């Protein structure tokens, strides 16, 4: 009788308990290998980041460590407009009979307003109008027959009760020594030069542009007055003109037609658009006169600007303002825009102002995305072959970061993790 072995029967399978243990061991080994790979890839292997031990490389692009200059740029909010409105120094007295429209531009020789139906004219200059100007505008007759004595060339007039004749060239009560800058009823001074310069610029000539108001000047004034529909007196009243550094843009009126002239009868600004930033008083070191900035417009375009002035007084923001209720004091920073055409037709709009803060020149940099967090703390970089090196970070700017360390060199390839 043949046994099962003699019949060629297959050998008996191993016990089920032994096969089960083998499956568990294989699965455990796979888990351990996977865990080691993950630990190595993440830089969690303790001393591996320091001794440069390699690990299986991960997927992701590589970039070189480059040497560059990093510039930190900060953006703050600002307001585009024409600047702060200030009152016109109108010295006329009477009733306001005409006012210009808000936003109107007035140039030299133009009418700012009318008082008692007389025009108040804009002229250019820095010295305010402080007296009447005319052939006899400054003559003083409180010294008796002084005017007649001067006309006759009388040298025997006395200036005191001693009876002694006045020294040759001594100032007379009606002359320059009286503080008005006139001699013999003829105004002299820088205000005369300023007025005559404007008169000539308007096309009324025929006199010498100097510091003396002569009869020839008066003749030109009469022609100017005729063009304005005024009586041709040859004398300019203190309230007839207002001086400014250049053309102006009319602001709001402080009175209505028919009201009396007041100090705030009319406000004005310059005609160039500018930006005002309420900068934090604690972080205004960037706001230095002449500093270059970039102004971002609502349409996405940007124009170059320059810091023109910085306020001297810090003020606390109003409640409910745009500072988020922080209550931090601010100072006004005015920024001028040279290329006015680049602003387009905008007259008022919220804008952004970008300025340069810190700067680091000639430093090693990598994209910020290349940084990885190390298990032992700090940051590191993964090399192309899977090693992890610790680095010290510096300035962050423009999507890059300054890095340094003994294992970092220019041109070294580092991986950007996916």
């Amino acid at each position: 009788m043949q046994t099962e072995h003699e019949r060629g029967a297959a050998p008996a399978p191993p016990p089920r308990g032994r096969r089960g243990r083998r499956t568990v061991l294989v699965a455990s080994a796979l888990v351990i290998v996977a865990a080691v790979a993950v630990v190595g890839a993440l830089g969690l292997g303790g001393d591996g980041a320091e001794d440069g031990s390699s690990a299986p490389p991960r997927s992701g692009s590589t970039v070189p460590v480059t040497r560059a200059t990093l510039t930190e740029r900060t953006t703050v909010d600002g307001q585009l407009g024409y600047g702060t409105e200030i009152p016109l120094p109108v010295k006329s007295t009477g009733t306001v009979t005409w006012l210009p429209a808000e936003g109107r531009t007035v140039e030299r020789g133009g009418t700012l307003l009318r008082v008692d139906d007389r025009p108040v004219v804009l002229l250019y200059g820095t010295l305010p109008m402080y007296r009447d100007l005319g052939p006899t505008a400054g003559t003083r007759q409180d010294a008796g027959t002084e005017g007649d004595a001067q006309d006759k060339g009388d040298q025997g007039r006395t200036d005191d009760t001693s009876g002694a004749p006045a020294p040759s060239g001594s100032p007379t009560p009606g002359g320059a020594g009286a503080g008005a800058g006139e001699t013999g009823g003829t105004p002299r001074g820088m205000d005369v030069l300023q007025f005559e310069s404007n008169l000539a610029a308007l096309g009324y000539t025929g006199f010498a542009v100097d510091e003396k108001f002569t009869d020839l000047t008066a003749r030109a004034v009469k022609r100017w007055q005729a063009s304005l529909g005024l009586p041709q007196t040859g004398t300019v009243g203190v309230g007839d003109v207002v001086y400014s550094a250049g053309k102006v843009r009319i602001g709001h009126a402080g009175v209505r037609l028919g009201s009396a002239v007041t100090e705030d009868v009319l406000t004005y600004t310059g005609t160039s658009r500018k930006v005002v930033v309420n900068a934090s008083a604690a972080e205004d070191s960037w706001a230095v006169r002449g500093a270059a900035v970039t102004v971002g417009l609502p349409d996405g375009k940007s124009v170059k600007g320059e810091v023109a002035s910085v306020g001297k007084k810090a003020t606390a923001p109003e409640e409910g303002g745009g500072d988020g209720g922080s209550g931090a004091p601010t100072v006004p920073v005015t920024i001028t825009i040279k290329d006015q055409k680049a602003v387009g037709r905008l007259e008022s709009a919220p804008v952004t102002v970008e300025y340069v803060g810190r700067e680091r020149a000639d430093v090693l940099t990598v994209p910020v995305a290349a940084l990885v967090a190390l298990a032992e703390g700090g940051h590191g970089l993964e090399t192309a072959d899977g090693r992890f090196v610790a680095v010290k970070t510096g300035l962050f700017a423009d999507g890059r970061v300054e890095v340094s360390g003994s294992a970092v060199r220019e041109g070294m390839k580092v991986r950007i993790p996916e």
Side-chain angles (χ1 to χ4, degrees):
M1 184 176 181
Q2 292 182 331
T3 64
E4 292 181 0
H5 177 71
E6 292 174 343
R7 297 192 199 104
R16 295 186 60 184
R18 179 184 300 177
R19 181 179 180 182
R21 286 194 297 271
R22 182 183 304 170
T23 302
V24 172
L25 290 176
V26 172
S28 300
L30 291 176
V31 171
I32 293 173
V33 170
V36 171
V38 171
V39 170
L42 295 178
L44 303 176
D47 297 334
E50 298 179 359
D51 59 13
S53 59
S54 61
R58 293 188 296 160
S59 60
S61 60
T62 59
V63 295
V65 176
T66 59
R67 189 173 295 277
T69 296
L70 290 183
T71 303
E72 181 185 63
R73 291 177 172 84
T74 303
T75 300
V76 294
D77 294 330
Q79 181 66 37
L80 176 71
Y82 289 91
T84 304
E85 296 183 3
I86 57 178
L88 275 167
V90 178
K91 296 184 181 298
S92 298
T93 57
T95 302
V96 178
T97 54
W98 179 82
L99 288 168
E102 184 174 354
R104 178 183 176 184
T105 297
V106 181
E107 301 182 357
R108 174 163 37 203
T111 300
L112 294 167
L113 73 160
R114 296 182 74 91
V115 178
D116 292 345
D117 205 28
R118 290 174 57 92
V120 177
V121 180
L122 176 70
L123 298 180
Y124 295 169
T126 57
L127 187 64
M129 190 74 170
Y130 63 90
R131 58 172 174 168
D132 296 344
L133 295 178
T136 58
T139 302
R140 298 182 182 181
Q141 299 297 333
D142 57 348
T145 59
E146 173 192 347
D148 295 336
Q150 287 181 344
D151 290 339
K152 295 177 182 179
D154 185 2
Q155 298 298 321
R157 180 184 57 80
T158 60
D159 292 317
D160 53 33
T161 57
S162 65
S168 177
S170 297
T172 62
E182 307 97 89
T183 301
T186 301
R188 298 174 182 267
M190 292 301 297
D191 59 332
V192 176
L193 175 61
Q194 179 175 269
F195 173 75
E196 289 185 339
S197 298
N198 278 273
L199 200 58
L202 291 173
Y204 301 94
T205 57
F207 57 92
V209 178
D210 53 19
E211 298 182 14
K212 184 177 181 180
F213 196 111
T214 65
D215 288 337
L216 293 177
T217 308
R219 292 179 185 178
V221 170
K222 289 179 180 180
R223 297 196 301 272
W224 177 52
Q225 290 173 329
S227 70
L228 296 173
L230 294 172
Q232 301 174 40
T233 63
T235 297
V236 185
V238 68
D240 291 342
V241 302
V242 170
Y243 286 104
S244 77
K247 58 185 178 180
V248 301
R249 181 178 184 274
I250 300 299
H252 72 276
V255 300
R256 295 182 178 181
L257 293 181
S259 301
V261 176
T262 61
E263 291 183 355
D264 60 347
V265 60
L266 200 62
T267 63
Y268 76 100
T269 65
T271 57
S272 296
R273 285 158 294 183
K274 57 192 68 176
V275 175
V276 176
V277 174
N278 290 322
S280 170
E283 301 176 358
D284 64 346
S285 58
W286 62 273
V288 179
R289 187 174 182 179
V293 298
T294 301
V295 178
L297 302 176
D299 60 1
K301 297 180 180 179
S302 61
V303 296
K304 295 181 179 179
E306 183 178 293
V307 176
S309 63
V310 182
K312 300 297 183 181
K313 293 183 178 180
T315 58
E318 298 180 359
E319 294 184 3
D323 66 334
S326 62
T330 60
V331 294
V333 178
T334 301
I335 297 167
T336 56
I337 300 173
K338 186 175 182 179
D339 187 2
Q340 290 286 303
K341 292 183 179 180
V343 184
R345 296 182 178 181
L346 283 176
E347 293 189 352
S348 177
V351 296
T352 59
V353 175
E354 182 183 81
Y355 63 87
V356 174
R358 295 181 298 165
E359 188 174 84
R360 293 281 293 168
D362 195 31
V363 295
L364 296 178
T365 70
V366 296
V368 175
L371 290 178
V372 295
L374 299 179
E376 60 270 23
H379 294 89
L381 298 173
E382 181 186 2
T383 64
D385 58 3
R387 294 181 301 113
F388 285 82
V389 293
V391 295
K392 181 180 179 181
T393 59
L395 180 64
F396 287 75
D398 298 327
R400 300 186 69 85
V401 58
E402 173 191 358
V403 293
S404 59
S406 58
V408 184
R409 66 183 184 278
E410 184 178 358
M412 183 177 72
K413 296 286 187 176
V414 296
R415 191 176 301 278
I416 298 180
E418 288 186 345

